[in-house]
Amino acid sequence: MNPYETIKEKFNERAILNLPAKEITSYKTGGAIDLIVYPENTDEIVFILDFIKKKNLNYFICGRATNVLISDNGFKGVFIKTDLFKTIRHEENRIFAFCGVLWDKMIELSVLNGLLGLEKTSYIPGSIGGAIRMNAGAFGQETFDKLEKFEVIDLKTLEVKELLKSSVKYGYRYVKGIENYFILGGEFLFEKKDPKELKNIRDEIIKQRFEKQPLEFPSAGSVFKRPDNDYASRLIEVCGLKGIKIGGAMVSEKHSGFIINTGNATSSDIYKLINTVREKVYQKTGVLLELEQVIVGEF
Ligand SMILES: Cc1cc2nc3c(=O)[nH]c(=O)nc-3n(C[C@H](O)[C@H](O)[C@H](O)COP(=O)(O)OP(=O)(O)OC[C@H]3O[C@@H](n4cnc5c(N)ncnc54)[C@H](O)[C@@H]3O)c2cc1C
C-alpha cells in the first residue's frame, strides 16, 4: 500500500492528499503537498513520526505557515500541521499553551489578565510552536522573554521531554539546540500589571501594524532579519528597491521589509525577488541580508 494511504486511512478527514500549499500559506503560493496530516494528540504525532521514519519519508512540521515560502513544485512528503493542538490554560501569572494555539490568542489572554511582557508582540499571526521555533517578536519584545519551559518530542528517540529555556541558545529571531525537536507547547511566566494599561499598548500596536504593514496583501511578514544597528527596510529603500516587482511579487511600497503577493505571484517570483533584493543591497551597501523566512522544497 502507498504509505500515504496508510496515514489517510488512520486519520480520515484529518489527512489531505495533494493539497496546494497556496491554500494554507500566508503568501498564498506554493504547489501540492503530498500529504498534510492534522494530529490531535501527542500519541498521534509519535505515531506519524515513527511511521515516517520507518518508511523513510520527508516531513515538515508546520504551524500556521506564516513564515514559510513553499516551492511551486510543492513538497514530496508529509506536512504535520499543528492546528488542532488548541489547549490553553491560564493560572495566576502563568500561561501554558499548546503548539497549535494562535500566538495572538495567548497575547490577548495575557493582556486581559494583566500579564506583562509580551503585549507588544500583539497580532503576530503564527502559532505558539512557530513563535517558539523562530523566537518571534516585535517592538523589542520576543517569545523567549517570557517562555520558561517547553515540552517537546525528541525527533530522534521520539521521547517526550520538558526543556528549560536555559537549555537552548536564543537571540534575535533564532533558537539553537531546538532543531531536533517537535515543540508540543510552552509555559510562559509573566509579571503583573494593570490590564487597562496593557490593553492600551495592545490597541496601539495593532493600530500601528495596520498603518505601517501591507496587511491587505498576502505576505509572510518581514523577509529579512534586522542587520546589526540598521533596518533591512531602510537599506532596501536607500537602494531604490521599494516597489520593484518580479511577476506578481512586489517589494511593498508601504513597508519595504515585506514582499507581497499582488494577486498572481508564484513562489518562484517571490524567491527571485528575494535574491534580487539581497544581491542589490549587498552590491550597494556591503550588507548581506539574512533571511528570516523558511524556504521549503526545491527552487
Ligand atoms: C503579516 C505578518 C506579520 C508578521 N509579523 C511578525 C512579527 O512582527 N514578528 C515576527 O517574529 N514574525 C512575524 N511574522 C512571521 C510569522 O508570523 C512568525 O515567524 C510566526 O512565529 C511563525 O509561526 P507559524 O506558526 O506560522 O510558523 P510556520 O510558518 O508554520 O513555521 C515556521 C518555522 O517554525 C517551525 N515550526 C512550527 N511549528 C513548530 C512546532 N510545533 N515544532 C517545531 N517546529 C515548528 C517550522 O518547521 C518552520 O521552520 C509575520 C507574518 C505575517 C504574515
Side-chain angles (χ1 to χ4, degrees):
M1 195 194 251
N2 171 338
Y4 300 140
E5 292 296 340
T6 310
I7 297 186
K8 175 80 191 142
E9 211 165 74
K10 181 172 163 70
F11 289 87
N12 296 310
E13 73 282 1
R14 289 190 286 119
I16 306 172
L17 291 162
N18 297 316
L19 188 78
K22 62 167 75 166
E23 298 201 12
I24 60 159
T25 56
S26 61
Y27 264 132
K28 305 244 173 290
T29 62
I33 296 162
D34 281 352
L35 179 75
I36 303 184
V37 60
Y38 292 81
E40 265 177 349
N41 55 52
T42 306
D43 287 348
E44 286 189 350
I45 299 181
V46 171
F47 169 86
I48 296 163
L49 290 170
D50 185 46
F51 184 82
I52 281 169
K53 222 178 190 180
K54 285 182 181 143
K55 300 287 175 189
N56 208 11
L57 302 172
N58 284 328
Y59 69 97
F60 182 75
I61 305 166
C62 189
R64 298 297 168 132
T66 64
N67 209 33
V68 290
L69 178 66
I70 300 175
S71 166
D72 298 317
N73 297 327
F75 184 77
K76 299 269 156 269
V78 182
F79 260 48
I80 308 174
K81 197 119 175 24
T82 60
D83 303 28
L84 300 181
F85 275 73
K86 287 192 290 209
T87 304
I88 180 162
R89 282 195 307 270
H90 161 231
E91 226 172 80
E92 296 181 358
N93 54 348
R94 283 177 191 274
I95 294 181
F96 176 85
F98 272 106
C99 55
V101 172
L102 279 176
W103 177 258
D104 197 49
K105 184 170 178 176
M106 181 180 82
I107 301 308
E108 192 181 24
L109 184 70
S110 67
V111 164
L112 278 173
N113 287 284
L115 302 179
L116 169 80
L118 289 174
E119 61 288 346
K120 292 185 182 169
T121 66
S122 286
Y123 225 65
I124 294 178
S127 65
I128 294 286
I132 295 175
R133 179 66 188 85
M134 309 300 302
N135 193 15
F139 300 102
Q141 294 182 344
E142 58 187 21
T143 306
F144 271 68
D145 288 350
K146 295 293 156 200
L147 181 70
E148 262 229 314
K149 51 189 174 183
F150 47 110
E151 200 173 69
V152 297
I153 300 173
D154 185 318
L155 294 170
K156 286 189 185 139
T157 62
L158 302 187
E159 272 173 300
V160 176
K161 296 181 187 171
E162 195 174 82
L163 296 181
L164 293 177
K165 83 167 167 192
S166 55
S167 63
V168 295
K169 283 204 165 127
Y170 55 89
Y172 168 69
R173 302 297 177 276
Y174 78 85
V175 187
K176 284 193 182 126
I178 205 175
E179 301 79 3
N180 292 322
Y181 296 117
F182 190 118
I183 300 153
L184 288 170
E187 192 169 319
F188 297 81
L189 177 63
F190 300 85
E191 289 109 63
K192 282 280 199 179
K193 185 92 178 170
D194 176 9
K196 267 193 227 137
E197 266 182 56
L198 297 182
K199 173 84 170 55
N200 289 341
I201 296 172
R202 174 173 165 80
D203 289 348
E204 180 54 32
I205 294 285
I206 294 175
K207 190 169 149 249
Q208 281 193 35
R209 280 189 180 265
F210 275 92
E211 276 169 13
K212 295 189 176 153
Q213 298 182 353
L215 300 186
E216 59 281 26
F217 289 100
S219 81
S222 296
V223 177
F224 303 105
K225 294 187 185 182
R226 211 176 52 219
D228 287 344
N229 307 317
D230 213 330
Y231 291 95
S233 55
R234 192 195 73 81
L235 293 171
I236 292 167
E237 243 175 280
V238 297
C239 292
L241 300 171
K242 197 174 194 167
I244 66 160
K245 275 184 99 173
I246 292 185
M250 181 169 114
V251 174
S252 165
E253 289 185 323
K254 200 166 171 188
H255 186 316
S256 38
F258 282 51
I259 287 180
I260 54 170
N261 176 354
T262 59
N264 59 352
T266 60
S267 291
S268 167
D269 293 339
I270 295 168
Y271 188 74
K272 284 183 199 150
L273 191 53
I274 290 173
N275 287 335
T276 302
V277 169
R278 283 189 95 198
E279 275 164 30
K280 296 213 161 140
V281 168
Y282 184 65
Q283 279 164 11
K284 289 202 176 161
T285 68
V287 177
L288 188 59
L289 293 173
E290 193 187 334
L291 201 60
E292 182 169 324
Q293 299 175 353
V294 179
I295 306 287
V296 182
E298 285 175 12
F299 282 85

